[in-house]
Amino acid sequence: MKKRSLVFLFSVLVCFCFGQKKNASYAYFVHPAPSAIVVDGLVEEGWQTAQTADRFFMVLPMDTSRAQVLTEVKLRYDNHNLYLLAICYTQGVNMVESMRRDFAFGKNDNFLVFIDPFEDGTNGFAFGTNAAGAQWDGLMYEGGSVDLSWDNKWTSAVKQYSDRWVLEMAIPFKTLRFKKGMTHWGINFSRNDLKTTEKSSWAPVPRQFPTASLAYTGTLVWDVPPTVPPTNISLIPYGLTGITRDYEKARPNVYRNNIGGDAKVAITSSLNLDLTVNPDFSQVEIDKQVTNLDRYELFFPEKRQFFLENGDQFNNFGYATIRPFFSRRIGLGVPIVAGARLSGKLDKNWRLGAMDMQTKAVDATGLPEQNFSVVALQRKIFSRSNIGFLFVNKQSLHYQWDPNAALPRYSEYNRNAGLEYNLASANNLWTGKLLFLKSFTPEKSGRDIAQAGNLKFANRWWTLGFQYEYTGRNYKAEVGYVPRQGYVRFNPQAAYSFFPKGGTVLSHGPQFTGLYYYDEHVKKTDNESVLSYSLVFRSKSVLTAVWLNDYVQLLLPFDPTNTGKDSLQKGSVHRWNTFGADYISKPQSVFTYDFSVRSGGYYAEGNKLTFAGNIGYRFQPYVNIAFSTSYNQLNLPKPWGNIGFWLVGPKIDVTFTNKLFLTTYVQYNQQQKNTNINARFQWRYKPASDLFIVYTDNYLISPFLVRNRALVMKLNYWLNL
């Protein structure tokens, strides 16, 4: 009996780790195009004999039947491109936000394709458009996440008819990274139709997962392996001119005239070398401001494209609060001289990333020249899991601190080395991670490690998870994001969903999340317990009620308004409860809105009322108007008293065509006493080639005065050799 039990447990373990591909039976056999295909949204004769992928499965609102809206997909290829034709049948007016690139998936009728060239269930490429023809592309990582900051060369066209819209696209083999000789790729097609509130996919995907989940792709079968381009080199030079004026410090105009550029060199069909010289990121969208009432550093995501392609090996190593590498530490406010990055697949099991960046010295602050080096190596194990290694080095060059110069002291070096194991079961029901990191810093030793682990189970009804974290008080990641040191954290979570058979409610259920912090001696310092109940309606609107219980024992003095007035004492204890509600309206309306309200206690036995909301209106498909606002009212004892902070951000996005865009964003931040205006014009005059004109203005609120202004014009051109 004992022997049988051991055999059974071993069999379960083998199936769990080495389970076969879930949708292996869904195969699409792609053949060469019998004649030239022109990407114009018309169905040429060359498409007639291609295999048709149809009979899609519904994913949302329920995953128990075939899709109600009809979608037909065909594929062809030649020596240069993979071609796709999608016929999306529909009734009534299509719902889109605009013709803006990389649109919000849930707010547009759209069609997407997810490609896994190595069929490893972890990394890949995503392409698609909405019904107005706006393009959407990204790199896929962690088995189902898509990084939309990636941008590359491909073409598409959409044509509208009374009962359907037709999409054609051509994806160059130079754009994709794949292994020579592979005849089986992972692939899936996704359709979102807001009028019927239906999301569907060709190979079935359980409703708790995104249709981008690479664990559930079908198989793209090539009759002949795709052609590897003989040379794959891209040059992307840019020229920039601009003017900046600092009115607040009464400084004269500063004129900018820069040239620089990037290069992409395919070392192999799956390994790419990126080079940059004198890079400039002035066209990158500005950060969305927030009212900061937190005790720790806020996180703002990376938006610079050079750091994002295959950047998941670097930027996603670790956890959200334990990142040994965070690329925004490089080159923000400090000129970058040059950089290089080698990234991609060595084979089906091994993945490599290596990056080196050099920055200039800044005499005004005494900052020396610095070099940033990162090496990442990843090995696939079992069906979709992997083991990763990361090494990060920050080195100050030719630096010797002068204590008499009244300048900050910078570290000579800071290094981090770490290992992590990422678990992903074949069916994606189980995911998890184990992490170990050690830092190396001059005059710091002992308690300089960080470790963490989590395990999560998610099926249609249950989501259960547990995570723990530890960072030593001397653990330091100067090129990372680690807002706290010297703590232990436990994070349990549980949620359950009910599915009524009829009525206006699609699903509902409770969710519990706990964040429990302790010091290194496992003495409680602060915790938060959150209990919520959500109702998801068949219209896709969502209503959630929330209760929070907070306990804080301050480890350092803290100003609860973050305005520099005064601070609460270290060691003081604070407890409070908060109640709230969230609502998100149905996305298929041209008028959309959402709001969040919280009311309850705060530090020093005070009270806090928080309201945040967004309103949007679209004149399809050309204009999308959004208005976001938040208000925090704090009622505290003296010396703070009653204080309120408004944050208001209207945004107008005009898309004249799917190649011509104008975005104007205004942000009024009462806490920072600043009003910011950012207007960005973009003309994509050729695939992946752009002209940008960016205007930025900052005003002091009281008195209302101009602080600084800047106007920049940048032109880049993508040249394939």
Side-chain angles (χ1 to χ4, degrees):
M1 185 69 179
K2 185 181 291 186
K3 184 177 180 180
R4 288 183 178 179
S5 298
L6 290 174
V7 170
F8 174 75
L9 290 174
F10 178 76
S11 300
V12 171
L13 179 63
V14 169
C15 291
F16 177 74
C17 296
F18 299 93
Q20 293 195 359
K21 184 172 178 175
K22 187 73 175 177
N23 288 330
S25 61
Y26 291 85
Y28 188 98
F29 296 86
V30 61
H31 301 287
S35 57
I37 292 179
V38 179
V39 179
D40 55 7
L42 299 175
V43 183
E44 298 100 336
E45 185 178 348
W47 289 114
Q48 302 303 324
T49 57
Q51 179 182 338
T52 301
D54 54 8
R55 291 178 56 77
F56 278 36
F57 287 87
M58 189 186 297
V59 178
L60 291 175
M62 288 301 296
D63 56 0
T64 55
S65 67
R66 294 280 184 176
Q68 295 179 2
V69 294
L70 179 62
T71 309
E72 297 177 351
V73 184
K74 297 174 183 285
L75 297 174
R76 288 292 199 187
Y77 72 94
D78 58 22
N79 289 334
H80 305 287
N81 301 300
L82 173 64
Y83 298 96
L84 180 145
L85 171 74
I87 304 175
C88 303
Y89 291 91
T90 184
Q91 294 181 354
V93 178
N94 295 311
M95 306 301 298
V96 295
E97 276 188 306
S98 68
M99 291 181 281
R100 166 69 61 181
R101 190 182 185 88
D102 295 333
F103 49 82
F105 172 86
K107 296 181 179 180
N108 290 264
D109 289 346
N110 61 69
F111 175 91
L112 309 176
V113 56
F114 306 109
I115 303 173
D116 179 4
F118 281 83
E119 211 173 14
D120 61 5
T122 305
N123 302 100
F125 300 86
F127 302 91
T129 75
N130 67 11
Q135 289 188 334
W136 189 94
D137 57 0
L139 284 178
M140 303 188 66
Y141 63 96
E142 293 183 350
S145 299
V146 181
D147 181 1
L148 295 175
S149 299
W150 179 75
D151 199 3
N152 218 303
K153 254 191 169 181
W154 61 287
T155 57
S156 64
V158 167
K159 194 167 182 62
Q160 303 280 351
Y161 298 90
S162 61
D163 63 340
R164 67 196 184 279
W165 56 278
V166 178
L167 160 67
E168 269 190 308
M169 66 172 67
I171 305 170
F173 292 125
K174 285 188 174 185
T175 295
L176 299 171
R177 302 284 178 260
F178 57 93
K179 189 68 176 177
K180 181 180 179 180
M182 285 192 66
T183 58
H184 289 72
W185 294 10
I187 196 165
N188 207 356
F189 313 114
S190 171
R191 171 88 183 276
N192 192 46
D193 187 77
L194 288 179
K195 294 177 293 300
T196 59
T197 69
E198 180 180 276
K199 181 170 72 170
S200 58
S201 63
W202 170 59
V205 179
R207 72 182 309 278
Q208 70 268 23
F209 302 128
T211 49
S213 178
L214 296 181
Y216 289 89
T217 57
T219 303
L220 178 62
V221 183
W222 300 84
D223 52 358
V224 176
T227 302
V228 175
T231 59
N232 192 353
I233 301 175
S234 300
L235 300 180
I236 316 168
Y238 81 85
L240 177 146
T241 185
I243 181 173
T244 302
R245 177 75 178 269
D246 190 333
Y247 291 87
E248 192 172 22
K249 297 180 180 179
R251 292 177 177 173
N253 293 340
V254 176
Y255 296 93
R256 299 175 60 194
N257 293 288
N258 294 341
I259 59 172
D262 298 343
K264 293 178 177 290
V265 182
I267 305 301
T268 69
S269 61
S270 57
L271 191 64
N272 196 69
L273 174 65
D274 289 272
L275 305 170
T276 186
V277 177
N278 194 28
D280 175 85
F281 307 103
S282 56
Q283 81 280 9
V284 173
E285 183 179 343
I286 63 172
D287 291 319
K288 185 176 181 180
Q289 297 183 25
V290 296
T291 299
N292 182 12
L293 298 175
D294 201 273
R295 290 179 291 151
Y296 301 99
E297 179 189 17
L298 297 177
F299 180 86
F300 292 94
E302 177 63 89
K303 297 181 179 181
R304 298 170 296 175
Q305 189 177 345
F306 181 84
F307 294 100
L308 291 168
E309 183 170 357
N310 284 320
D312 63 285
Q313 271 192 283
F314 307 136
N315 289 316
N316 294 328
F317 195 97
Y319 286 87
T321 51
I322 307 179
R323 297 279 189 217
F325 179 76
F326 179 39
S327 57
R328 280 184 70 120
R329 303 293 188 202
I330 304 173
L332 281 186
V334 181
I336 297 176
V337 178
R341 183 185 64 237
L342 181 68
S343 60
K345 289 273 196 175
L346 300 176
D347 57 29
K348 186 173 182 178
N349 296 317
W350 287 96
R351 191 169 175 232
L352 171 69
M355 182 166 65
D356 189 84
M357 304 292 294
Q358 180 71 36
T359 61
K360 292 182 180 179
V362 180
D363 295 335
T365 60
L367 180 72
E369 296 177 57
Q370 292 184 320
N371 182 265
F372 300 84
S373 302
V374 194
V375 177
L377 192 63
Q378 194 177 85
R379 163 74 185 186
K380 177 187 173 184
I381 59 174
F382 307 134
S383 62
R384 297 180 59 244
S385 303
N386 63 70
I387 295 176
F389 166 78
L390 184 75
F391 177 74
V392 183
N393 181 52
K394 174 187 175 183
Q395 192 84 35
S396 295
L397 306 177
H398 318 297
Y399 177 61
Q400 188 171 1
W401 181 58
D402 181 1
N404 299 317
L407 293 172
R409 183 175 185 177
Y410 300 95
S411 61
E412 297 176 24
Y413 66 85
N414 175 250
R415 297 170 186 137
N416 265 255
L419 287 169
E420 70 176 14
Y421 167 63
N422 292 287
L423 166 70
S425 64
N427 58 8
N428 212 42
L429 293 179
W430 291 91
T431 55
K433 177 181 287 193
L434 285 175
L435 172 71
F436 178 83
L437 294 163
K438 178 175 172 56
S439 66
F440 304 87
T441 308
E443 302 175 2
K444 294 261 186 194
S445 62
R447 298 186 184 274
D448 55 1
I449 67 169
Q451 55 181 315
N454 83 292
L455 184 64
K456 182 180 179 181
F457 171 80
N459 67 9
R460 183 184 299 171
W461 302 276
W462 283 101
T463 300
L464 302 171
F466 183 81
Q467 179 176 324
Y468 82 92
E469 297 178 5
Y470 164 72
T471 64
R473 63 173 177 265
N474 289 327
Y475 174 74
K476 196 171 184 181
E478 292 184 12
V479 198
Y481 176 77
V482 185
R484 293 182 70 158
Q485 288 85 30
Y487 75 92
V488 179
R489 187 181 89 162
F490 300 104
N491 175 207
Q493 55 181 305
Y496 186 82
S497 294
F498 299 93
F499 297 96
K501 292 184 177 180
T504 59
V505 176
L506 174 65
S507 65
H508 61 93
Q511 178 174 336
F512 170 79
T513 303
L515 296 171
Y516 304 114
Y517 286 90
Y518 303 83
D519 64 18
E520 291 181 285
H521 303 290
V522 199
K523 180 181 177 182
K524 183 172 71 171
T525 59
D526 49 292
N527 63 58
E528 182 176 67
S529 300
V530 183
L531 183 63
S532 62
Y533 202 98
S534 294
L535 293 93
V536 180
F537 298 93
R538 294 187 184 275
S539 64
K540 287 194 175 182
S541 59
V542 182
L543 175 64
T544 304
V546 183
W547 170 80
L548 302 92
N549 175 263
D550 285 272
Y551 166 89
V552 177
Q553 183 179 26
L554 290 174
L555 303 177
L556 295 170
F558 174 62
D559 172 12
T561 67
N562 269 343
T563 58
K565 277 192 172 182
D566 202 350
S567 295
L568 297 167
Q569 292 183 356
K570 173 183 176 180
S572 59
V573 175
H574 310 267
R575 298 181 176 88
W576 66 83
N577 292 300
T578 303
F579 298 89
D582 304 324
Y583 182 75
I584 303 173
S585 69
K586 59 182 182 180
Q588 57 268 39
S589 297
V590 293
F591 174 73
T592 58
Y593 61 95
D594 63 76
F595 66 83
S596 175
V597 61
R598 300 285 186 272
S599 179
Y602 196 52
Y603 291 95
E605 298 184 354
N607 294 290
K608 181 173 77 166
L609 172 66
T610 299
F611 173 84
N614 296 279
I615 298 173
Y617 192 87
R618 54 196 186 206
F619 299 90
Q620 299 187 140
Y622 302 107
V623 180
N624 186 34
I625 301 173
F627 184 87
S628 62
T629 184
S630 69
Y631 178 71
N632 286 270
Q633 175 65 48
L634 308 179
N635 296 319
L636 295 165
K638 292 183 178 180
W640 303 282
N642 297 338
I643 186 170
F645 298 117
W646 280 101
L647 180 62
V648 180
K651 184 177 182 179
I652 301 176
D653 193 7
V654 182
T655 56
F656 303 98
T657 70
N658 61 357
K659 298 178 181 179
L660 203 61
F661 317 111
L662 175 63
T663 302
T664 302
Y665 195 13
V666 180
Q667 296 186 91
Y668 165 81
N669 190 324
Q670 190 174 11
Q671 187 185 41
Q672 295 184 4
K673 300 179 181 179
N674 187 74
T675 297
N676 171 264
I677 300 174
N678 179 265
R680 185 178 63 164
F681 172 83
Q682 178 185 0
W683 174 32
R684 174 145 289 191
Y685 60 93
K686 285 190 175 182
S689 301
D690 299 281
L691 169 67
F692 293 97
I693 301 175
V694 183
Y695 174 77
T696 305
D697 219 341
N698 284 285
Y699 294 89
L700 187 68
I701 293 176
S702 180
F704 191 77
L705 297 172
V706 180
R707 305 182 79 168
N708 51 70
R709 282 179 179 152
L711 178 64
V712 173
M713 184 170 68
K714 179 179 178 181
L715 180 72
N716 62 37
Y717 182 78
W718 188 300
L719 175 65
N720 282 339
L721 301 181

